[in-house]
Amino acid sequence: MSAVPHSEKPVGRFRRMLDRLSSSQEDLESEELREDAETAGCTRIEDCRDRQIVTVTGTLRTVTLRPRAGVPALEAELFDGSAALDVVWLGRRSIVGIEPGRRLIASGRISLSRGRRVLFNPKYELRPLGRE
């Protein structure tokens, strides 16, 4: 047995090809999102802690209008391949470009609400669509 964990072993070209062929589409997309977050210099969502100021990136899975205390609130679930968090814009019914499948970078202070990570009214940057 090797003392080096599997994830830290050097992986050859043939092994990577086999891994990609045997992986599901969801696994491949998650891996791509994790690599994108690392390349952009963002914090992985699974590493975010309560009250921490972070910059995260990922793909919006869902976008819904859900009032909070009688105030409109646009909520989106951001997934980066490691975990998901809720992004909430209070007082907004819609935002141009905020739609499922869109990639974005968001910055703000993480909160925990009902056991989920949440970013309220983050600064954000929409990422280009496709492979531009």
Side-chain angles (χ1 to χ4, degrees):
M1 283 263 142
S2 172
V4 178
H6 176 67
S7 62
E8 295 178 20
K9 286 184 181 177
V11 179
R13 186 178 300 156
F14 182 70
R15 181 69 197 165
R16 283 193 306 265
M17 183 182 70
L18 282 177
D19 287 346
R20 291 187 69 81
L21 289 174
S22 63
S23 298
S24 70
Q25 184 65 28
E26 185 177 327
D27 291 341
L28 295 174
E29 289 172 1
S30 293
E31 180 182 341
E32 181 181 326
L33 288 170
R34 285 190 300 271
E35 289 172 1
D36 186 42
E38 185 177 314
T39 301
C42 295
T43 304
R44 292 185 320 174
I45 293 173
E46 72 178 357
D47 295 336
C48 295
R49 301 293 170 243
D50 190 28
R51 308 295 301 153
Q52 181 182 12
I53 296 175
V54 297
T55 299
V56 295
T57 187
T59 299
L60 296 176
R61 284 181 164 173
T62 61
V63 178
T64 57
L65 177 62
R66 183 171 296 136
R68 287 179 174 251
V71 176
L74 185 64
E75 292 188 12
E77 182 183 66
L78 183 70
F79 180 69
D80 75 346
S82 68
L85 66 77
D86 294 328
V87 183
V88 179
W89 290 273
L90 298 171
R92 302 297 300 263
R93 295 185 189 283
S94 66
I95 299 174
V96 175
I98 300 298
E99 56 196 27
R102 187 66 189 251
R103 288 188 178 189
L104 65 84
I105 296 174
S107 300
R109 186 176 301 273
I110 292 285
S111 300
L112 287 178
S113 177
R114 298 184 187 116
R116 288 187 54 95
R117 295 174 185 96
V118 182
L119 271 178
F120 286 100
N121 296 321
K123 294 178 187 176
Y124 67 95
E125 175 185 334
L126 297 173
R127 305 288 301 272
L129 295 171
R131 297 269 184 198
E132 298 173 8

